[in-house]
Amino acid sequence: MARTTSQNQNEKNKVGAFFLATLILWFVSVLFEIFFNKRTELLWIVAGACLFQIANWAIRSFVSRDPLFVNTSVSLLHSTIISVSVVSILVNQCLKNGSDGMFEHSQLVGGTWEWAYAALCFSCGYFAYDQLDMLFYRLYSGLIPSILVHHMILLVCFTLALYRNVTINYLILTLVCELHSIFLHVRKVRRMAGIRNAKSTIVRIEWVLNWLTFIFARSLTHILITVKLVADAPKFEKGVELPLALFGMAGMNLINVGLGIDLFNAFKREKSTENSNHHGE
């Protein structure tokens, strides 16, 4: 038993070392772009990573030292900031230029809505911070941790788009899913805080919002983006943009399926607990 535990620990160390090495390489590439290629607009990535690390320290110092609680709380902060940013960007674009042509291929691939670039950089900084936090506190499991793979794929896709200044608006649309992430993180923080009364009105409202945003802000949005990519495939120039976009969206849609199953199972568990408590009374 002890030998098995030791082997698992060694495997986890190797996995952590691999993802840490990829994160360091990513960070070096960002610094190279900023300092050697004079891409000062990428400083928003650094600003995002620093802000969320400061939030981490603040929560750890004044609220709780539980690594999972701290990590989830910072994730909630990111989802809230990015959701407000994305909605503001879309509304601002509609008010200034109207919705006509807003979702045309040329606009989604070659255009950049006001503040979209900064918002994408900011979110990229969060994923780098979160990857490091999860590695440092070992908030992952398995030989191929899905959360670490997810973050690595996002960092690659986001930074390539930022370096080449293409598909920025497409990626902003994918971040509409952060509206759903708010309620995922709220549920997690709420349960860690010991609030688990399934009959509570607040909890029931939370579940309604959780399902509505999962369906419309995450699942439907990502499906529509995938359909749009496939329909506009002939309009893409030769290069990595289309294959990378299709690969990224395929991954996101698969993750959404797994997330939906997990969400349904969690909902069933809470309902069964509610029914058990009701019969117990």
Side-chain angles (χ1 to χ4, degrees):
M1 183 71 177
R3 188 174 179 180
T4 302
T5 303
S6 177
Q7 286 176 341
N8 291 338
Q9 191 65 37
N10 288 335
E11 291 294 337
K12 197 168 187 177
N13 290 339
K14 290 177 182 178
V15 168
F18 169 77
F19 281 102
L20 180 60
T22 60
L23 186 61
I24 291 171
L25 287 173
W26 170 86
F27 184 64
V28 169
S29 78
V30 172
L31 292 182
F32 181 86
E33 287 291 322
I34 292 172
F35 292 108
F36 290 94
N37 291 336
K38 310 299 182 184
R39 299 286 302 277
T40 53
E41 66 272 20
L42 292 172
L43 283 170
W44 281 104
I45 295 177
V46 179
C50 289
L51 174 72
F52 293 114
Q53 184 58 62
I54 290 169
N56 181 300
W57 288 333
I59 295 168
R60 191 176 304 280
S61 299
F62 300 108
V63 182
S64 171
R65 298 188 65 83
D66 177 17
L68 185 58
F69 180 87
V70 174
N71 182 272
T72 307
S73 298
V74 177
S75 295
L76 174 58
L77 176 64
H78 164 258
S79 295
T80 304
I81 291 174
I82 293 301
S83 294
V84 171
S85 299
V86 169
V87 171
S88 299
I89 288 167
L90 295 174
V91 170
N92 179 61
Q93 184 65 22
C94 283
L95 292 176
K96 287 182 70 174
N97 303 310
S99 59
D100 289 343
M102 187 173 170
F103 301 112
E104 289 295 323
H105 174 78
S106 58
Q107 184 67 210
L108 292 175
V109 174
T112 304
W113 297 320
E114 190 174 1
W115 289 105
Y117 195 96
L120 196 62
C121 283
F122 203 71
S123 194
C124 199
Y126 160 76
F127 288 119
Y129 143 79
D130 199 42
Q131 188 86 325
L132 185 61
D133 191 60
M134 288 191 169
L135 288 168
F136 188 80
Y137 290 102
R138 297 174 178 266
L139 302 175
Y140 58 91
S141 59
L143 294 177
I144 306 177
S146 59
I147 187 65
L148 298 184
V149 173
H150 173 251
H151 280 18
M152 185 175 71
I153 291 173
L154 285 177
L155 284 173
V156 170
C157 292
F158 280 24
T159 48
L160 282 176
L162 291 167
Y163 289 171
R164 296 168 60 87
N165 204 10
V166 294
T167 65
I168 303 298
N169 293 342
Y170 255 125
L171 290 171
I172 284 296
L173 291 178
T174 67
L175 288 176
V176 170
C177 71
E178 291 300 330
L179 284 164
H180 173 241
S181 296
I182 289 175
F183 299 104
L184 279 182
H185 299 319
V186 163
R187 178 179 178 273
K188 201 169 180 180
V189 169
R190 185 246 312 162
R191 289 179 63 81
M192 284 190 284
I195 305 171
R196 303 192 175 201
N197 183 4
K199 292 189 290 184
S200 166
T201 302
I202 293 176
V203 172
R204 289 180 176 179
I205 292 172
E206 175 202 299
W207 268 113
V208 170
L209 293 173
N210 213 319
W211 278 115
L212 285 175
T213 52
F214 171 76
I215 293 168
F216 295 106
R218 183 179 293 275
S219 299
L220 187 59
T221 298
H222 287 170
I223 289 170
L224 289 174
I225 291 171
T226 306
V227 170
K228 176 68 174 172
L229 283 170
V230 173
D232 287 348
K235 299 178 183 179
F236 278 86
E237 296 180 4
K238 290 183 179 179
V240 299
E241 284 85 3
L242 180 60
L244 199 60
L246 289 173
F247 171 75
M249 290 313 302
M252 284 188 178
N253 285 311
L254 282 174
I255 288 170
N256 290 345
V257 171
L259 186 58
I261 293 170
D262 290 343
L263 204 60
F264 180 70
N265 289 334
F267 180 72
K268 280 204 308 182
R269 282 196 301 271
E270 287 207 3
K271 290 298 291 181
S272 64
T273 302
E274 177 185 346
N275 291 334
S276 297
N277 292 340
H278 178 73
H279 290 311
E281 291 172 0

